[in-house]
Amino acid sequence: MTLISVGHACVDVYQGAVAALVPFFVSERAYTYAAASGVVLAATLLSSVVQPLFGALTDRWAMPWLLPVSTLAAGAGVALSGLGGSYPLTLLAVAVTGIGVAAYHPEAARVAREVSHGSHTAMSWFSLGGNIGFALAPLMVSAVVATAGLHASPLLALPAVAGAALCATALRSARTPATGAATARAATAVGRADWTSFTKLTGAIVCRSIVFVGLSTFISLYVRQRTGAGSASGTAALFVLYLGGAVGTVAGGRLAARYQRVRVVRWSYALTVLAVAGVVFVPGPPLYLFVALTSAGLYVPFSLHVTLGQDYLPQRMGTASGVTLGLTVSVGGIASPAIGALADATSLHTALIPLIALPGLGWLLLRTLPEPATPEPVTPGPGRPRAAASPASPASPPTGDARPTPATDTGHHPLSG
């Protein structure tokens, strides 16, 4: 699980790297806000479209080889994005990064779920790896590009090489017989899909995604304007936005062990409304505090989105992972050009104001979301694989405000068999 989590960091550093490169594209290539946000769109639009496709494929076939291959693809795109000055080629390069990221997450989430036996806390550590990668991205990009310029971008491929090696090592360590994989899949095939709840969850994730990607794209430029400081102030704000997510993700897993996941997610969305308002309206250095609070509000539900989606669609965990992980970091990029165009027409401050309302809309979608019942394992009889009971069985814990069962508290989740 440690190797998978660190490998996740090596992949998600490239999602953060695209946003971290935006100020350098603006300064070195004189991109407008709309053109700069188009770079983010190129990395996220294709990713958001194909990630559920990769999820559907992993529902049918285990494809662990995707982990090292997709890691290398993600790194190659960012490495090539700084070479040459052609805008179309830059878009193509970051699109390759988006495809690499899209191919990685559904299979990685499936493998992590099986290795962790469905533990919410363990899945939060898997998500933490990705968030650490996000947090390190602006520091890595600044260290390389601010020192040597965009033409030094091939150096940014080094984490991909390390991540591919870690993924390959983790897969060798976690390899199980084919019968074990079949048993794990059979255990998830008994639960009943709750598409209504999954759709509501997806809508909330879309709202969260637009806020996160919008702030990731423009927070560095915005903080420079609000504080009147140099580029270091913008890099620091982006680092706080990403690093706070590392703390929030672990906190989310621990809170889910004490309270229900849906309740924790609702609290987080409510907090984010106030935090984003502080980022937009509070002047000077105190806005860093609100950047940190925004980060916590956005990231506490991060890993909980994944496990909730998997529990709502127990027969389609790859699809659920592709949507919950993919939309979290992809769909928001579709809205980035609109934010950039509004900023060009008015001001960056005005363009960020609509982001305050989106977490509130997400909270409304989550308000009626039920806590999914966790299936208990059934002792296998002679000649049949071990399977999970349906959510309606007496062994399932009650929904509502009841505390999780000891199986959840201890991190032993039956869905993986």
Side-chain angles (χ1 to χ4, degrees):
M1 195 66 192
T2 300
L3 290 172
I4 294 173
S5 298
V6 177
H8 192 190
C10 293
V11 172
D12 277 10
V13 73
Y14 294 108
Q15 296 192 81
V18 173
L21 283 167
V22 165
F24 297 100
F25 288 137
V26 171
S27 60
E28 291 193 27
R29 298 181 179 176
Y31 287 176
T32 64
Y33 288 137
S37 59
V39 174
V40 178
L41 175 64
T44 56
L45 178 59
L46 192 58
S47 179
S48 65
V49 171
V50 303
Q51 193 149 195
L53 173 61
F54 280 110
L57 290 174
T58 59
D59 283 333
R60 293 180 61 87
W61 303 285
M63 296 186 290
W65 55 267
L66 270 179
L67 272 61
V69 171
S70 60
T71 301
L72 292 174
V78 166
L80 295 173
S81 66
L83 301 181
S86 169
Y87 187 68
L89 290 179
T90 301
L91 297 182
L92 178 61
V94 297
V96 171
T97 292
I99 294 174
V101 169
Y104 175 85
H105 282 98
E107 181 67 9
R110 183 193 66 79
V111 172
R113 181 83 181 226
E114 291 184 2
V115 169
S116 68
H117 304 294
S119 165
H120 302 321
T121 302
M123 286 298 289
S124 74
W125 285 103
F126 167 72
S127 299
L128 172 65
N131 296 335
I132 289 176
F134 262 112
L136 293 178
L139 302 182
M140 179 186 73
V141 170
S142 181
V144 173
V145 180
T147 302
L150 284 171
H151 66 274
S153 61
L155 293 175
L156 300 176
L158 293 178
V161 177
L166 288 170
C167 288
T169 303
L171 292 173
R172 283 196 298 269
S173 301
R175 184 169 294 151
T176 56
T179 54
T183 300
R185 291 177 184 275
T188 68
V190 177
R192 187 171 53 190
D194 185 351
W195 284 102
T196 300
S197 296
F198 184 77
T199 301
K200 292 179 181 178
L201 177 67
T202 300
I205 292 173
V206 169
C207 295
R208 184 258 184 207
S209 174
I210 295 173
V211 175
F212 176 74
V213 177
L215 290 178
S216 297
T217 304
F218 295 111
I219 192 69
S220 182
L221 296 169
Y222 182 69
V223 168
R224 291 189 202 180
Q225 295 177 4
R226 297 287 283 180
T227 62
S231 61
S233 65
T235 299
L238 193 59
F239 178 70
V240 170
L241 180 66
Y242 291 163
L243 184 63
V247 178
T249 300
V250 175
R254 294 191 177 277
L255 287 170
R258 182 174 179 85
Y259 308 100
Q260 288 187 327
R261 287 171 290 173
V262 171
R263 182 187 295 181
V264 173
V265 172
R266 287 195 198 111
W267 290 345
S268 302
Y269 277 68
L271 168 66
T272 305
V273 174
L274 301 176
V276 175
V279 171
V280 174
F281 291 112
V282 173
L287 71 83
Y288 283 101
L289 172 62
F290 289 97
V291 172
L293 291 174
T294 299
S295 179
L298 291 172
Y299 272 109
V300 163
F302 188 81
S303 66
L304 306 183
H305 288 153
V306 180
T307 59
L308 281 171
Q310 290 175 335
D311 286 349
Y312 287 135
L313 301 183
Q315 295 175 314
R316 300 177 181 272
M317 284 200 177
T319 299
S321 301
V323 171
T324 53
L325 278 173
L327 287 174
T328 299
V329 292
S330 299
V331 168
I334 299 175
S336 290
I339 298 173
L342 181 59
D344 287 331
T346 56
S347 69
L348 190 53
H349 177 265
T350 301
L352 295 180
I353 290 176
L355 300 183
I356 299 172
L358 287 171
L361 177 58
W363 180 87
L364 289 175
L365 290 170
L366 295 167
R367 190 170 61 88
T368 58
L369 199 67
E371 181 75 19
T374 302
E376 294 290 342
V378 175
T379 303
R384 67 182 178 91
R386 181 185 182 188
S390 69
S393 69
S396 300
T399 56
D401 294 335
R403 287 282 303 276
T405 63
T408 301
D409 283 335
T410 56
H412 297 292
H413 195 289
L415 283 180
S416 65

